[in-house]
Amino acid sequence: MSAELNIIVCIKQVPETTEVEFDEETGRLKREGIAAIINPFDEYAIETGLQIKEKYGGKVKVLTMGPPAADQALRDSIAMGAEEAYLATDRVFAGADTWATSYTLAKIINNIGKFDLIICGLKTTDGDTGQTGPEMAETLGVPCICYVSEILSIENGVIKVKRSLDNGVELLEASLPILITVGKDIAQPRLATLRGRIAARKAVINQITNKELGLDIKTIGLDGSFTRVIKIFTPPSTAGGEILQGTPEELAESIFQKLKEKKVI
Amino acid sequence: MSEKSVTITDACIGCGECTKACPFGSITVVDGLAVVSDDCRVCGVCVDACPVDAIKIKEFEISTLSDFKGVLVYAEQHEGKIHPVVYELLGKGRELADQLGEELYTVLIGNNIGKQGDQLISRGADRVYIYEDSSLSSFRDDPYTQILAECVQECRPSILLIGATGLGRALGPRVAARLKTGLTADCTGLEIDPETNLLLQTRPAYGGNIMATIITPNSRPQMATVRYKVMNEAKIDEKRNGVIINRSIPKSLQDRVKVLGFEPIKEEINITDADIIVAGGKGLNDANGFKLLEELAKEIGAAVGASRPTVDEGWITYRHQVGLSGKTVRPKLYIACGISGVVQHLAGMKTSDIIISINKDKEAPICSVSTITAIGDLYEVIPRLIEKIKTHKKNQ
């Protein structure tokens, strides 16, 4: 058995609902009254980390970047079973696009120390880009496997996984350290235990600001971002179409006619 | 303007002397080759430390944005077959290039792909870069990232478009991070701003509840992954002229992830490719409901989709799930059976061309996005519909 695995799970706090509104004048999202949760895909990432730790031995550290309130997402991760938590929070980190985010996280990971495995959810439900994971892998100089659906083994520093692609399932192998992103087919996230919740309440969250990191302001936050959002708008809403009522026979006939009209049959 | 940078040449033997010498800890040996990180201050200590003279300090001109011209389309292929999203990118790319008065390029990476070059020209490419080698037969992030980044450095396009397929969305971020430029994910709209000539990249966020327009003002290329089945395919013009440029692959190709095997999905149409999707929700009541939907799907050549609760119940596998936590689809026709249409599901399918829903509840949110909604019991309606289709086919 090789040494204990150092596992880092990167998570993000997102609004609970995607039915968000924004202020037309400032272009900012109205976050008031919307509960914040761990990005659903990231719960699968945490679960994956915990299962690997339980099977192969190691430590699960969780890392997030966000406002001070993102502290809660880290405590929820500890309640699930993670051991250490890091919160990168600083005004100068704000407004980062995926590149600036991945750059900042990569620098923090280098500061945390040696790692064997970084796990990310395959995307977030708010930004929905799925870019931060692979961009971080590139910045850290480690390989990356996206859409992992099963961890087959981790032995002698080599990980074997399955990943789910559009047209099939691929079997892959690589040496650690590596970054993987996981989807919902990998495992069912566990619920927090009472003991976990108590641990979460008492846990010390390691706060990281740019004072500790000392990154060039031009490489982080809004200034470090290569992309700029110039307009936000609501897509035109659909009015809803025709409502058909009648006997099953009449309904089947109407749908049949519609399929014929649209040349489906 | 000029800048200096440290480069490691092919002479490197991976001895690690430079790693020891570097005062900033910025050199590591990866797979037998020294790699220089961003922490490098170009002090030059490593140049003297290297026993085989493999480290050079190069001075190069920093290019200005206007040096980058043209639109480059990444031509994704599987086993030598071009992914159809590429034709859509060529269609859009041609439009953007014409508007800018610039050229349209495409790059093809793989094995046994050479014969596809002419086809890409007939779809609008002015120049096709081909990197062909037996080692590239299956997609791997590392070598494909390296080659695409090299191609960009040679062809210097102002815009780089990649299909937002599974592989495209894994490749794009690696290339963008390597080139240190902006990348916008999963775009559904692309336009040129007539005043600034910048690419206006529009994409949905928050499950499609918000649209955002994004620019990449200060770095090149302006990179975007583009959603499949949104742009119009380029028309074929056999008479078009273009240039095919065969490039040899780099000598040292990074390749850290090994593909051990691949199990294709059998006898199923993949929901992201499908033109028609028949999807089921909780209204099916149990797993057997999907058998009925499969029968209908078979008759009309459709893929089977599912709402999240049915997947959570274990009635069908996750790869069928449509919605925010599943796949986003945009078929020509989406038939929603027993799906109430919570916002997370609608986010994944509401941009379908035509939506037909069969539902007992006329107040269900699915009705608001449906072209037509049949209010009734799907177990009564669908078997009759299948019969009608079968009779119709027999009489044709």
Side-chain angles (χ1 to χ4, degrees):
Chain A
M1 187 64 223
S2 49
E4 302 259 286
L5 293 166
N6 274 306
I7 304 163
I8 297 178
V9 181
C10 297
I11 67 169
K12 185 182 181 189
Q13 195 179 46
V14 298
E16 188 176 20
T17 168
T18 56
E19 278 185 289
V20 289
E21 283 178 42
F22 61 92
D23 189 317
E24 301 265 356
E25 269 172 38
T26 61
R28 279 173 198 277
L29 289 170
K30 293 180 183 167
R31 289 189 189 266
E32 301 84 52
I34 297 178
I37 55 166
I38 297 179
N39 170 45
F41 285 98
D42 298 345
E43 291 189 344
Y44 293 80
I46 297 167
E47 179 62 34
T48 307
L50 295 174
Q51 287 189 10
I52 291 172
K53 173 187 85 174
E54 284 155 5
K55 193 159 173 192
Y56 301 100
K59 204 175 218 185
V60 175
K61 303 171 185 177
V62 229
L63 163 63
T64 195
M65 183 168 108
D71 176 273
Q72 190 55 46
L74 293 171
R75 291 189 190 276
D76 291 345
S77 316
I78 289 173
M80 281 176 74
E83 276 102 349
E84 279 177 31
Y86 297 83
L87 171 62
T89 187
D90 193 321
R91 294 187 80 88
V92 295
F93 297 152
D97 70 354
T98 62
W99 192 87
T101 303
S102 65
Y103 179 78
T104 312
L105 290 176
K107 293 294 168 191
I108 292 169
I109 287 171
N110 279 335
N111 265 19
I112 291 175
K114 193 185 150 295
F115 64 89
D116 299 295
L117 187 61
I118 300 173
I119 312 175
C120 304
L122 68 85
K123 61 180 181 183
T124 60
T125 52
D126 56 353
D128 198 9
T129 73
Q131 291 178 177
T132 305
E135 286 187 325
M136 196 160 51
E138 185 65 29
T139 307
L140 286 165
V142 298
C144 169
I145 302 177
C146 293
Y147 325 121
V148 170
S149 56
E150 195 181 340
I151 308 283
L152 297 170
S153 66
I154 303 178
E155 276 158 16
N156 305 319
V158 174
I159 186 169
K160 261 189 207 171
V161 301
K162 280 186 177 177
R163 73 152 155 187
S164 204
L165 294 176
D166 296 341
N167 56 348
V169 176
E170 207 170 42
L171 183 63
L172 302 169
E173 180 189 272
S175 293
L176 302 177
I178 193 167
L179 184 148
I180 62 172
T181 75
V182 300
K184 292 199 166 182
D185 38 11
I186 192 146
Q188 193 54 41
R190 67 194 65 189
L191 296 170
T193 58
L194 183 61
R195 241 176 80 192
R197 287 216 193 89
I198 294 167
R201 219 175 315 142
K202 291 184 188 155
V204 178
I205 306 288
N206 299 289
Q207 297 240 3
I208 302 164
T209 66
N210 200 40
K211 256 190 213 128
E212 290 86 51
L213 283 180
L215 299 176
D216 184 344
I217 296 285
K218 283 186 289 242
T219 63
I220 56 175
L222 188 63
D223 283 348
S225 297
F226 291 118
T227 59
R228 285 271 183 286
V229 176
I230 53 165
K231 190 172 127 193
I232 291 181
F233 57 102
T234 315
S237 64
T238 40
E242 207 181 329
I243 299 273
L244 304 174
Q245 283 174 316
T247 65
E249 177 60 30
E250 288 162 358
L251 294 175
E253 182 62 24
S254 307
I255 296 173
F256 174 70
Q257 290 305 333
K258 192 80 185 173
L259 297 184
K260 249 173 50 182
E261 179 196 318
K262 297 295 173 188
K263 299 193 168 52
V264 172
I265 43 175
Chain B
M1 247 170 96
S2 73
E3 197 173 275
K4 287 177 180 172
S5 86
V6 171
T7 40
I8 312 281
T9 67
D10 284 349
C12 175
I13 52 168
C15 66
E17 286 301 322
C18 50
T19 308
K20 280 182 245 161
C22 177
F24 303 101
S26 71
I27 310 181
T28 45
V29 176
V30 182
D31 289 345
L33 274 182
V35 178
V36 184
S37 81
D38 287 348
D39 298 328
C40 174
R41 299 284 182 275
V42 205
C43 65
V45 170
C46 54
V47 176
D48 300 328
C50 180
V52 293
D53 212 10
I55 305 180
K56 308 275 179 215
I57 291 189
K58 279 190 185 163
E59 201 162 309
F60 59 92
E61 290 293 306
I62 295 184
S63 45
T64 53
L65 298 185
S66 58
D67 291 344
F68 290 82
K69 281 196 165 48
V71 179
L72 176 64
V73 166
Y74 170 66
E76 180 176 338
Q77 56 83 26
H78 298 273
E79 292 170 348
K81 205 169 155 270
I82 306 279
H83 192 292
V85 72
V86 174
Y87 304 134
E88 300 173 6
L89 297 183
L90 288 170
K92 190 55 169 185
R94 185 73 261 169
E95 208 182 293
L96 299 173
D98 288 345
Q99 210 175 326
L100 291 165
E102 293 170 4
E103 293 203 304
L104 176 63
Y105 317 123
T106 184
V107 52
L108 192 52
I109 304 169
N111 190 31
N112 288 326
I113 46 170
K115 56 185 183 299
Q116 305 285 359
D118 290 330
Q119 208 203 135
L120 295 169
I121 290 171
S122 73
R123 295 275 192 167
D126 296 309
R127 213 189 284 171
V128 183
Y129 291 90
I130 297 181
Y131 294 80
E132 192 169 22
D133 193 83
S134 58
S135 68
L136 297 172
S137 55
S138 60
F139 174 89
R140 277 111 56 223
D141 291 37
D142 278 345
Y144 275 60
T145 298
Q146 190 180 342
I147 293 173
L148 183 52
E150 262 199 37
C151 182
V152 167
Q153 273 150 4
E154 179 186 339
C155 123
R156 302 168 81 75
S158 144
I159 294 170
L160 169 56
L161 305 179
I162 298 176
T165 59
L167 293 181
R169 290 185 73 169
L171 177 68
R174 292 285 308 277
V175 174
R178 188 162 300 189
L179 296 170
K180 295 202 168 47
T181 188
L183 171 64
T184 306
D186 204 23
C187 295
T188 55
L190 294 171
E191 276 173 69
I192 301 288
D193 181 336
E195 277 172 30
T196 59
N197 271 355
L198 285 171
L199 182 65
L200 304 175
Q201 307 159 88
T202 299
R203 69 178 301 267
Y206 291 88
N209 285 306
I210 280 179
M211 303 296 289
T213 301
I214 292 166
I215 55 170
T216 305
N218 301 319
S219 61
R220 291 293 176 272
Q222 306 162 78
M223 283 183 66
T225 60
V226 183
R227 191 176 284 188
Y228 181 29
K229 287 175 186 281
V230 174
M231 308 298 173
N232 295 320
E233 267 194 15
K235 295 214 168 65
I236 299 172
D237 177 1
E238 304 282 0
K239 289 187 215 110
R240 271 191 57 86
N241 286 320
V243 185
I244 292 179
I245 300 167
N246 285 293
R247 284 277 174 262
S248 51
I249 63 163
K251 261 191 222 151
S252 55
L253 209 51
Q254 194 179 45
D255 200 359
R256 296 168 292 185
V257 179
K258 237 193 265 168
V259 180
L260 302 178
F262 181 70
E263 308 153 20
I265 303 162
K266 288 173 207 133
E267 301 164 285
E268 259 178 32
I269 307 169
N270 162 10
I271 55 172
T272 49
D273 285 332
D275 282 333
I276 309 171
I277 294 173
V278 176
K282 261 190 307 197
L284 292 175
N285 297 327
D286 60 51
N288 285 326
F290 278 106
K291 290 199 179 124
L292 181 65
L293 298 194
E294 274 161 24
E295 203 187 330
L296 173 61
K298 211 176 126 205
E299 289 302 325
I300 55 177
V304 175
S307 70
R308 181 177 170 177
T310 65
V311 175
D312 288 350
E313 287 288 335
W315 297 352
I316 191 161
T317 57
Y318 172 64
R319 68 165 57 249
H320 294 271
Q321 188 178 321
V322 173
L324 200 60
S325 55
K327 295 258 163 55
T328 303
V329 296
R330 189 179 188 265
K332 295 197 175 97
L333 171 63
Y334 190 91
I335 306 181
C337 311
I339 295 177
S340 62
V342 295
V343 61
Q344 287 82 354
H345 186 77
L346 300 186
M349 46 65 73
K350 68 180 174 191
T351 55
S352 306
D353 292 352
I354 302 167
I355 298 166
I356 296 178
S357 54
I358 305 170
N359 209 302
K360 280 182 183 163
D361 176 13
K362 67 175 172 193
E363 303 297 328
I366 191 83
C367 306
S368 68
V369 300
S370 299
T371 323
I372 60 171
T373 304
I375 304 300
D377 181 349
L378 66 99
Y379 284 105
E380 302 268 352
V381 178
I382 295 175
R384 288 179 168 84
L385 177 61
I386 293 172
E387 273 318 303
K388 282 173 195 292
I389 296 168
K390 280 185 175 162
T391 319
H392 173 78
K393 280 185 176 169
K394 241 181 260 166
N395 296 342
Q396 262 185 339

